Short mmCIF file of all heavy atoms in Angstrom, two decimals:
data_model
loop_
_atom_site.label_atom_id
_atom_site.label_comp_id
_atom_site.label_asym_id
_atom_site.label_seq_id
_atom_site.Cartn_x
_atom_site.Cartn_y
_atom_site.Cartn_z
N GLU O 542 12.84 -21.76 3.14
CA GLU O 542 13.12 -20.33 2.73
C GLU O 542 14.01 -20.33 1.51
O GLU O 542 13.78 -19.57 0.59
CB GLU O 542 13.79 -19.60 3.80
CG GLU O 542 12.73 -19.20 4.92
CD GLU O 542 13.47 -18.51 6.16
OE1 GLU O 542 14.77 -18.53 6.13
OE2 GLU O 542 12.75 -18.13 7.10
N ASN O 543 15.01 -21.29 1.49
CA ASN O 543 15.89 -21.22 0.25
C ASN O 543 15.18 -21.70 -0.94
O ASN O 543 15.42 -21.24 -2.13
CB ASN O 543 17.03 -22.20 0.65
CG ASN O 543 18.08 -21.51 1.60
OD1 ASN O 543 18.25 -20.31 1.55
ND2 ASN O 543 18.88 -22.29 2.35
N ILE O 544 14.24 -22.74 -0.76
CA ILE O 544 13.45 -23.14 -2.02
C ILE O 544 12.60 -22.02 -2.50
O ILE O 544 12.57 -21.61 -3.69
CB ILE O 544 12.60 -24.24 -1.59
CG1 ILE O 544 13.51 -25.60 -1.42
CG2 ILE O 544 11.57 -24.58 -2.70
CD1 ILE O 544 12.69 -26.80 -0.93
N PHE O 545 12.00 -21.23 -1.51
CA PHE O 545 11.18 -20.19 -1.84
C PHE O 545 11.95 -19.10 -2.55
O PHE O 545 11.47 -18.46 -3.61
CB PHE O 545 10.36 -19.66 -0.65
CG PHE O 545 9.36 -18.60 -0.99
CD1 PHE O 545 8.27 -18.87 -1.65
CD2 PHE O 545 9.71 -17.32 -0.60
CE1 PHE O 545 7.30 -17.95 -1.92
CE2 PHE O 545 8.71 -16.33 -0.93
CZ PHE O 545 7.48 -16.56 -1.59
N LYS O 546 13.08 -18.80 -2.04
CA LYS O 546 13.98 -17.66 -2.60
C LYS O 546 14.40 -18.04 -3.97
O LYS O 546 14.27 -17.14 -4.93
CB LYS O 546 15.25 -17.45 -1.71
CG LYS O 546 14.93 -16.72 -0.49
CD LYS O 546 16.19 -16.59 0.36
CE LYS O 546 15.87 -15.98 1.79
NZ LYS O 546 17.06 -15.84 2.52
N LYS O 547 14.73 -19.33 -4.27
CA LYS O 547 15.08 -19.65 -5.60
C LYS O 547 13.91 -19.57 -6.58
O LYS O 547 14.00 -19.05 -7.70
CB LYS O 547 15.63 -21.18 -5.61
CG LYS O 547 17.02 -21.19 -5.00
CD LYS O 547 17.43 -22.64 -5.07
CE LYS O 547 18.83 -22.80 -4.25
NZ LYS O 547 19.21 -24.09 -3.96
N LEU O 548 12.82 -19.99 -6.16
CA LEU O 548 11.51 -19.79 -6.91
C LEU O 548 11.24 -18.39 -7.32
O LEU O 548 11.03 -18.06 -8.50
CB LEU O 548 10.34 -20.47 -6.10
CG LEU O 548 9.02 -20.44 -6.91
CD1 LEU O 548 9.00 -21.31 -8.19
CD2 LEU O 548 7.87 -20.80 -5.88
N ILE O 549 11.28 -17.49 -6.30
CA ILE O 549 10.93 -16.09 -6.63
C ILE O 549 12.03 -15.38 -7.43
O ILE O 549 11.63 -14.56 -8.33
CB ILE O 549 10.54 -15.29 -5.37
CG1 ILE O 549 11.67 -15.16 -4.55
CG2 ILE O 549 9.34 -15.92 -4.60
CD1 ILE O 549 11.55 -14.18 -3.37
N GLU O 550 13.26 -15.89 -7.32
CA GLU O 550 14.30 -15.34 -8.19
C GLU O 550 14.06 -15.71 -9.58
O GLU O 550 14.33 -14.95 -10.52
CB GLU O 550 15.70 -15.78 -7.79
CG GLU O 550 16.21 -15.10 -6.44
CD GLU O 550 17.41 -15.67 -5.90
OE1 GLU O 550 17.99 -16.67 -6.55
OE2 GLU O 550 17.81 -15.28 -4.85
N ASN O 551 13.57 -16.82 -9.89
CA ASN O 551 13.22 -17.31 -11.22
C ASN O 551 12.24 -16.43 -11.91
O ASN O 551 12.13 -16.41 -13.05
CB ASN O 551 12.71 -18.71 -11.29
CG ASN O 551 13.83 -19.65 -11.05
OD1 ASN O 551 15.06 -19.43 -11.17
ND2 ASN O 551 13.64 -20.90 -10.49
N TYR O 552 11.39 -15.84 -11.12
CA TYR O 552 10.27 -14.90 -11.63
C TYR O 552 10.77 -13.35 -11.52
O TYR O 552 9.81 -12.46 -11.65
CB TYR O 552 8.98 -15.13 -10.96
CG TYR O 552 8.36 -16.49 -11.37
CD1 TYR O 552 8.53 -17.62 -10.60
CD2 TYR O 552 7.53 -16.59 -12.50
CE1 TYR O 552 8.01 -18.83 -11.02
CE2 TYR O 552 7.06 -17.73 -12.88
CZ TYR O 552 7.22 -18.87 -12.14
OH TYR O 552 6.67 -20.12 -12.48
N SER O 553 11.90 -13.14 -11.18
CA SER O 553 12.55 -11.77 -11.17
C SER O 553 11.95 -10.97 -10.04
O SER O 553 11.88 -9.76 -10.14
CB SER O 553 12.45 -11.06 -12.46
OG SER O 553 13.09 -11.78 -13.55
N PHE O 554 11.58 -11.62 -9.00
CA PHE O 554 11.10 -10.86 -7.83
C PHE O 554 12.28 -10.67 -6.87
O PHE O 554 13.25 -11.41 -6.89
CB PHE O 554 10.09 -11.67 -7.04
CG PHE O 554 8.69 -11.58 -7.66
CD1 PHE O 554 8.22 -12.62 -8.42
CD2 PHE O 554 7.88 -10.45 -7.48
CE1 PHE O 554 6.99 -12.55 -9.13
CE2 PHE O 554 6.62 -10.33 -8.05
CZ PHE O 554 6.18 -11.44 -8.84
N ASN O 555 12.35 -9.56 -6.04
CA ASN O 555 13.41 -9.25 -5.19
C ASN O 555 12.76 -9.05 -3.78
O ASN O 555 11.66 -8.67 -3.61
CB ASN O 555 14.24 -8.06 -5.62
CG ASN O 555 14.89 -8.30 -6.80
OD1 ASN O 555 15.54 -9.31 -6.98
ND2 ASN O 555 14.69 -7.39 -7.79
N GLU O 556 13.54 -9.39 -2.78
CA GLU O 556 13.12 -9.14 -1.37
C GLU O 556 13.21 -7.69 -1.16
O GLU O 556 14.08 -6.88 -1.62
CB GLU O 556 13.99 -9.83 -0.38
CG GLU O 556 13.75 -9.60 1.09
CD GLU O 556 14.78 -10.41 1.97
OE1 GLU O 556 15.69 -11.05 1.52
OE2 GLU O 556 14.47 -10.41 3.16
N VAL O 557 12.23 -7.16 -0.26
CA VAL O 557 12.18 -5.75 0.21
C VAL O 557 12.04 -5.79 1.66
O VAL O 557 11.42 -6.75 2.24
CB VAL O 557 11.11 -4.93 -0.43
CG1 VAL O 557 11.32 -4.74 -1.93
CG2 VAL O 557 9.73 -5.42 -0.18
#
Side-chain angles (χ1 to χ4, degrees):
E542 286 172 355
N543 287 331
I544 290 173
F545 185 70
K546 285 178 184 178
K547 288 176 186 174
L548 177 68
I549 63 173
E550 285 173 4
N551 288 337
Y552 288 95
S553 299
F554 285 98
N555 294 308
E556 181 179 4
V557 297

